[in-house]
Amino acid sequence: MTDSIFTAWKPEHAALWGNVPLRLKHRLHQHELFSRPALARLIEAAPKSNYMLIETGRPNERKLWREGEMGTLSGLEVMDAIASGRIWLNLLRVNEIDPQYGRLLDEIFGELEGRIPGFTTFKRINGILISSPRAQVYYHFDTAGQTLWQIAGSKRVYLYPKEPPFLTPESLENVILYNNETGIQYEGWYDDYAQCIELQPGEMAQWPLNMPHRIENADELSVSMTIEYFTTDIRRNLFVNGANGLLRDKLKLKPQRSVSGPAVWAKTAVYAAAAKGGLLKRGRSKRRPITFTLDRDFLAKPAAASAPAPDAARPTEQALGGD
Ligand SMILES: [Fe+2]
């Protein structure tokens, strides 16, 4: 692709990036890698380690929540099943499945780093989320930089202030230490204080680090690309908040929560040593059991009545339970 990926970039977007919620226009919905045949090939090529397939209950019915695997359906049939069901397919680290998606990732960040002075990124990964009409991503926040690119269908992103009660220092620290996204409280009235971004195909959203959000699909199949990335500032935030959590949780100290100044280096060392020493529990390593196969038998059956919804099972953009 020789044309720029962002189609209506303005100079002020460089100053706004990472500081306020942004909706920008892009052309990836017209890119060959996101055509139906290309997505079907990607689905068919994905090993189990590179996807999560989740069947959910109806809206406001969280009892059904189970993880499955893809059976013998073609990629196009999988997409049709998602379009008519209540299913999420999150293709993880798609650059590992097909290096063309990795080259696209490099192209996107090449353009961004050229447009935003001083913006340098690393540990970049992209995923593709294919989800049913009305599907939701529940209230959570992310510990890495995030962008959400709409390819097909439309979504509404609700973004909430990153201050208490929407996000507390303790919940930020707990999520970093234990990957327990459910530790963050959500109340229906939070929506009165949310900023909404409607995403159509050809639009993408970016928002400040750690900003809580939730997402609702419109009444149509949705295809999105999610990108996660780090900068030195984002990594520092992760280390300092992680160290603060360790000081509070393990040593019962009341940490100073500044993310600048000389203490940052000590905290970085604390967090790095804890990570190296295995002190941090990585909740995401606990996989849910596979309880269904998306095949012709599945399609022929009525939807399962109910199954327990594990507390840890919350969909987020990158990993349906951890992005
Ligand atoms: Fe997220």
Side-chain angles (χ1 to χ4, degrees), residues 169-178 241 244-245 248 255 257:
E170 290 79 11
S171 60
L172 173 61
E173 294 159 8
N174 285 341
V175 167
I176 290 172
L177 285 181
Y178 307 124
N241 285 304
N244 285 340
R248 174 179 53 80
R257 290 196 161 101

Side-chain angles (χ1 to χ4, degrees), residues 7 11 18 26 42 53 62 77 82 134 169 216 225 242 252 321:
T7 55
H26 66 83
L42 189 67
L53 182 68
R62 292 192 186 177
E77 288 172 322
I82 296 171
R134 315 303 306 177
E216 292 176 351
M225 179 168 69
K252 310 303 178 193

Side-chain angles (χ1 to χ4, degrees), residues 199-277:
L199 283 185
Q200 303 290 335
E203 295 178 328
M204 61 82 70
Q206 200 274 338
W207 51 84
L209 181 67
N210 301 151
M211 186 173 248
H213 52 281
R214 66 183 189 88
I215 302 172
E216 292 176 351
N217 281 359
D219 198 15
E220 55 201 346
L221 176 75
S222 173
V223 179
S224 310
M225 179 168 69
T226 58
I227 293 179
E228 176 181 308
Y229 64 90
F230 280 85
T231 64
T232 52
D233 282 350
I234 292 171
R235 183 172 59 186
R236 182 183 307 121
N237 180 287
L238 182 73
F239 283 6
V240 170
N241 285 304
N244 285 340
L246 284 170
L247 294 173
R248 174 179 53 80
D249 195 37
K250 302 287 185 198
L251 302 178
K252 310 303 178 193
L253 298 173
K254 191 170 183 188
Q256 296 296 314
R257 290 196 161 101
S258 169
V259 292
S260 61
V264 166
W265 303 107
K267 287 180 178 176
T268 298
V270 165
Y271 185 78
K276 195 174 176 183

Side-chain angles (χ1 to χ4, degrees), residues 119-138:
F119 186 61
T120 304
T121 59
F122 52 92
K123 283 188 72 175
R124 310 185 297 219
I125 56 173
N126 52 345
I128 294 176
L129 191 54
I130 304 173
S131 52
S132 296
R134 315 303 306 177
Q136 297 184 48
V137 174
Y138 299 126

Side-chain angles (χ1 to χ4, degrees), residues 12-24:
E12 60 262 38
H13 292 150
L16 295 168
W17 183 276
N19 294 317
V20 297
L22 276 182
R23 178 177 57 188
L24 301 174

Side-chain angles (χ1 to χ4, degrees), residues 13-304:
H13 292 150
L16 295 168
W17 183 276
N19 294 317
V20 297
L22 276 182
R23 178 177 57 188
L24 301 174
K25 293 193 179 300
H26 66 83
R27 65 172 82 250
L28 295 187
H29 60 309
Q30 299 163 336
H31 196 291
E32 162 56 25
L33 286 178
F34 296 100
S35 66
R36 261 176 73 83
L39 292 172
R41 283 193 296 275
L42 189 67
I43 290 170
E44 290 165 7
K48 182 68 192 85
S49 56
N50 281 82
Y51 73 82
M52 291 188 74
L53 182 68
I54 303 284
E55 186 189 23
T56 69
R58 294 180 180 83
N60 305 318
E61 177 200 62
R62 292 192 186 177
K63 286 195 171 178
L64 176 61
W65 187 278
R66 57 179 185 154
E67 183 166 352
E69 62 185 0
M70 290 188 276
T72 54
L73 299 183
S74 69
L76 290 175
E77 288 172 322
V78 168
M79 280 192 281
D80 288 344
I82 296 171
S84 60
R86 295 188 306 278
I87 300 171
W88 288 82
L89 175 60
N90 202 357
L91 297 163
L92 308 169
R93 304 178 307 280
V94 289
N95 57 311
E96 293 178 358
I97 308 171
D98 182 339
Q100 292 184 89
Y101 292 90
R103 288 195 285 276
L104 176 65
L105 191 59
D106 291 342
E107 195 181 337
I108 290 168
F109 279 98
E111 187 173 323
L112 278 171
E113 292 180 1
R115 290 184 184 279
I116 305 172
F119 186 61
T120 304
T121 59
F122 52 92
K123 283 188 72 175
R124 310 185 297 219
I125 56 173
N126 52 345
I128 294 176
L129 191 54
I130 304 173
S131 52
S132 296
R134 315 303 306 177
Q136 297 184 48
V137 174
Y138 299 126
Y139 188 78
H140 73 284
F141 67 93
D142 304 304
T143 54
Q146 297 286 323
T147 58
L148 177 63
W149 304 68
Q150 198 61 16
I151 304 297
S154 53
K155 285 186 187 300
R156 175 177 290 175
V157 184
Y158 294 79
L159 292 149
Y160 304 81
K162 47 190 276 186
E163 288 86 31
F166 307 98
L167 175 66
T168 64
E170 290 79 11
S171 60
L172 173 61
E173 294 159 8
N174 285 341
V175 167
I176 290 172
L177 285 181
Y178 307 124
N179 292 319
N180 177 18
E181 274 88 359
T182 57
I184 182 169
Q185 181 82 16
Y186 169 72
E187 303 288 348
W189 58 264
Y190 285 7
D191 290 1
D192 294 342
Y193 301 87
Q195 176 177 346
C196 288
I197 292 182
E198 308 277 350
L199 283 185
Q200 303 290 335
E203 295 178 328
M204 61 82 70
Q206 200 274 338
W207 51 84
L209 181 67
N210 301 151
M211 186 173 248
H213 52 281
R214 66 183 189 88
I215 302 172
E216 292 176 351
N217 281 359
D219 198 15
E220 55 201 346
L221 176 75
S222 173
V223 179
S224 310
M225 179 168 69
T226 58
I227 293 179
E228 176 181 308
Y229 64 90
F230 280 85
T231 64
T232 52
D233 282 350
I234 292 171
R235 183 172 59 186
R236 182 183 307 121
N237 180 287
L238 182 73
F239 283 6
V240 170
N241 285 304
N244 285 340
L246 284 170
L247 294 173
R248 174 179 53 80
D249 195 37
K250 302 287 185 198
L251 302 178
K252 310 303 178 193
L253 298 173
K254 191 170 183 188
Q256 296 296 314
R257 290 196 161 101
S258 169
V259 292
S260 61
V264 166
W265 303 107
K267 287 180 178 176
T268 298
V270 165
Y271 185 78
K276 195 174 176 183
L279 253 181
L280 309 182
K281 296 174 191 169
R282 309 313 281 178
R284 271 170 220 164
S285 60
K286 291 181 200 159
R287 294 295 298 263
R288 290 177 287 278
I290 301 297
T291 59
F292 75 96
T293 300
L294 183 57
D295 57 13
R296 282 179 217 294
D297 287 346
F298 175 89
L299 296 179
K301 285 179 199 162

